[in-house]
Amino acid sequence: MNFRQQLHPSWQEVLEPQLSYLDEVQSRISKEDFLPQSNLVMRALSHDFSKCKVLILGQDPYPNANHANGLAFSVPSHVEKLPASLKNIYKELNSDLGLPAPTHGDLSSWAEQGVVLLNRTLTCRKGESNSHLHVGWDLFTEACVKSLADSGCVAILWGNNAQELAHYFNEDRLITSVHPSPLSAYRGFFGSKPFSRANAALIGLGDKPIDWSL
């Protein structure tokens, strides 16, 4: 399935200058067995651009075919063993807002409220994290992030890859920390309170907060 056709029409309009470049990226990886499956690659950009309120920016898809579903950090609802990064996100969700840890890993209800769950790299080879780091996704996702910043979106940037784009956001709309991965979560992710801070920023902008419960 053509990547550009998966974009919401509003995103197609916003990203019109990048669409031919997106076609090039798709052509570059088309002969590989990549994740997520082709029809889910643009899932993070399938909602109305004008309703985007919060950006959560990660690194790249889960390298496991049972996990990667086109939304950063999310996994299908039937997955019983949650990825470690997602478990850590749920720990912080509980610590920050007092919400019970969900029993599933499906974050689509966040996306439906205007949370853009985007990765810097939108595909990877099966079993190989960061394997598509240099196929051109960085330029495309940078254009996505800049558009969201220009529209006034609040940004939650987790990890070094995401924070490369922090300069696009005003300080009152920027929340950063290390990645929720077990390798780094104890170095500043836990206790960073991203969910309450994002809602406080939205309220300060006169916007409705996100219901982070799942």
Side-chain angles (χ1 to χ4, degrees):
M1 185 177 187
N2 190 288
F3 289 169
R4 67 158 73 194
Q5 293 173 342
Q6 298 176 38
L7 295 166
H8 189 277
S10 59
W11 272 106
Q12 290 183 21
E13 184 175 348
V14 167
L15 296 173
E16 199 279 331
Q18 281 77 39
L19 293 182
S20 60
Y21 182 74
L22 178 62
D23 294 338
E24 289 177 25
V25 174
Q26 182 168 13
S27 176
R28 223 168 276 163
I29 65 173
S30 61
K31 294 180 176 62
E32 297 189 25
D33 191 10
F34 62 81
L35 296 173
Q37 62 189 52
S38 182
N39 66 317
L40 296 176
V41 172
M42 290 291 137
R43 189 177 171 200
L45 306 176
S46 63
H47 294 277
D48 191 338
F49 175 82
S50 68
K51 296 180 180 177
C52 296
K53 297 161 62 168
V54 176
L55 165 68
I56 293 181
L57 190 60
Q59 183 172 290
D60 69 336
Y62 294 120
N64 181 328
N66 293 324
H67 290 169
N69 70 356
L71 298 178
F73 300 105
S74 180
V75 296
S77 58
H78 61 79
V79 172
E80 294 183 1
K81 187 176 181 181
L82 301 182
S85 293
L86 184 55
K87 286 182 181 178
N88 286 339
I89 289 169
Y90 284 175
K91 285 180 184 177
E92 182 60 21
L93 184 66
N94 174 257
S95 171
D96 185 7
L97 298 178
L99 295 172
T103 56
H104 63 85
D106 182 4
L107 306 181
S108 58
S109 69
W110 292 357
E112 289 160 7
Q113 296 177 72
V115 179
V116 182
L117 296 160
L118 187 69
N119 282 311
R120 282 302 318 270
T121 301
L122 297 184
T123 58
C124 68
R125 286 192 291 272
K126 284 185 179 180
E128 298 181 49
S129 292
N130 269 338
S131 50
H132 282 175
L133 190 61
H134 302 297
V135 302
W137 281 123
D138 54 338
L139 295 177
F140 177 78
T141 56
E142 182 170 1
C144 297
V145 170
K146 184 180 184 303
S147 298
L148 289 168
D150 290 346
S151 75
C153 216
V154 174
I156 299 175
L157 307 183
W158 287 333
N160 292 333
N161 283 6
Q163 289 172 39
E164 290 173 354
L165 305 183
H167 61 278
Y168 285 119
F169 296 89
N170 295 334
E171 283 190 18
D172 63 340
R173 302 180 189 195
L174 178 63
I175 299 158
T176 64
S177 79
V178 298
H179 196 275
S181 158
L183 298 174
S184 58
Y186 286 95
R187 300 202 302 267
F189 175 74
F190 292 130
S192 62
K193 299 187 179 299
F195 308 104
S196 61
R197 290 167 65 194
N199 276 354
L202 289 171
I203 292 167
L205 295 165
D207 212 335
K208 184 181 177 182
I210 302 297
D211 177 4
W212 295 105
S213 61
L214 292 165

